[in-house]
Each structure stands twice: as structure tokens, then as C-alpha cells.
């Protein structure tokens, strides 16, 4: 696979992001809004009538993108979007601060960015594109002033997991990229962290 570029999802790239996610908004009408919306708002968007399913989540991602908030990075091959990673300052993800299983040990720690989601169409998976997107996310967070990049991967040491369960990435992928993984003090879920700048 030849990746021409990995670019920030700027307002002029909204159509590419919408094309990549397709009618169903990537993972079941999520539109990469799961961590960005309150639980009740996200649930209302995915459990409504089929004709409207995911519309609220799509609109949230569209609003962020068109407002210039840069919700993540898009990979391109031959001029067409072929992959996505959601990376932004941790404060942009309201669900992280409210989640018992992922709540930060130090919510006031400055300069923390988070990687919360990858989306690759099925024919693009298991070809190294996720690792390329992760490398780009590291550089993007560093260039944006981040001190630490944090992620919430799935441990697949016991075998493969379905793609829909590893949308946050795998422990192995993050470890290969230099992240240190530890267990969340309350939930035991893996937390991956990488220092981007020396203290």
C-alpha cells in the first residue's frame, strides 16, 4: 500500500471524511462521536428511527470539523481517503472524564492528548495502515503542543478480536510504537502513554 499522505481533517476535507465513513458512519452510526458526546446524547442518536439513526453523531462531527477543531487525521491513497485516526487534546473527549473505567488519575495534568479511535475499511486492515496513522498522530500531537499522548487499547494477547472491538487499537500496536502500557487503577483496562516532550 502506498500512502500518499496523512492530513488533518480540516474543514475542506469534510466531504472526504464523510465519504470514508459511509452511510452508516463507520462503526454502527458512531461517526467517531462516542467519546465526544454525553452518553444520553450518543445513545439517542444511535437508537432512534432507522431513517435518522446516527444523524446527531454525524452532525456533531461535522460541526467540529467545519468549526476547524481538527477531530483527527485522514490517510489518503491515490487521492482518496482510506483511513482515519481520532486524535485531539484529552479535554475534547467528554466521555473520558466521566468514565469509571478510563477516568484520568490526574484530570488536571497539562498537555495530555488522546487517541480514541481508528477506522479502516475492511480491505485496508492488517496491512500496516493503523501503525502509520498512529505514527502520524504522535507527530501531530507533538506539533500541537502535547506533552503526553494517551490511548485506551485492547489487549489481544489471547488471540484475535473482531475489528469492531479493537477500534481503539491494540496494546501490541502501541507498544511497538514506544508507548508504555499499564492498567487503569480502578478498571484494570489498559492505558497506553507516550511522553512527547521532556519535563
Amino acid at each position: 500500500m502506498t500512502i500518499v499522505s496523512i492530513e488533518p481533517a480540516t474543514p475542506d476535507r469534510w466531504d472526504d471524511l464523510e465519504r470514508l465513513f459511509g452511510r452508516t458512519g463507520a462503526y454502527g452510526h458512531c461517526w467517531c462521536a462516542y467519546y465526544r458526546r454525553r452518553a444520553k446524547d450518543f445513545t439517542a442518536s444511535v437508537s432512534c428511527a432507522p431513517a435518522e439513526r446516527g444523524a446527531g453523531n454525524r452532525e456533531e462531527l461535522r460541526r467540529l470539523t467545519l468549526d476547524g477543531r481538527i477531530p483527527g487525521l485522514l490517510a489518503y491513497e491515490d487521492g482518496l481517503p482510506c483511513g482515519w485516526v481520532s486524535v485531539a487534546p484529552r479535554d475534547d473527549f467528554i466521555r473520558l472524564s466521566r468514565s469509571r473505567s478510563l477516568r484520568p488519575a490526574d484530570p488536571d495534568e497539562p498537555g495530555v492528548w488522546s487517541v480514541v479511535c481508528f477506522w479502516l475499511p475492511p480491505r485496508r486492515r492488517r496491512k500496516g495502515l493503523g501503525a502509520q496513522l498512529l505514527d502520524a498522530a504522535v507527530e501531530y500531537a507533538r506539533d500541537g503542543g502535547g506533552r503526553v499522548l494517551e490511548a485506551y487499547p485492547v489487549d489481544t494477547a489471547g488471540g484475535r478480536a473482531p475489528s469492531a472491538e479493537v477500534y481503539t487499537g491494540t496494546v501490541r500496536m502501541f507498544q511497538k510504537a514506544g508507548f508504555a502500557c499499564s492498567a487503569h487503577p480502578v478498571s484494570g483496562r489498559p492505558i497506553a502513554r507516550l511522553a512527547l516532550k521532556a519535563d
Side-chain angles (χ1 to χ4, degrees), residues 81-118:
C82 64
W84 162 258
V85 61
S86 181
V87 56
R90 185 170 68 188
D91 291 345
D92 285 9
F93 303 106
I94 190 171
R95 272 282 200 42
L96 293 177
S97 63
R98 296 178 177 206
S99 167
R100 287 192 67 231
S101 62
L102 296 174
R103 184 178 297 136
D106 180 359
D108 298 319
E109 181 183 10
V112 180
W113 284 50
S114 294
V115 170
V116 298
C117 181
F118 294 84

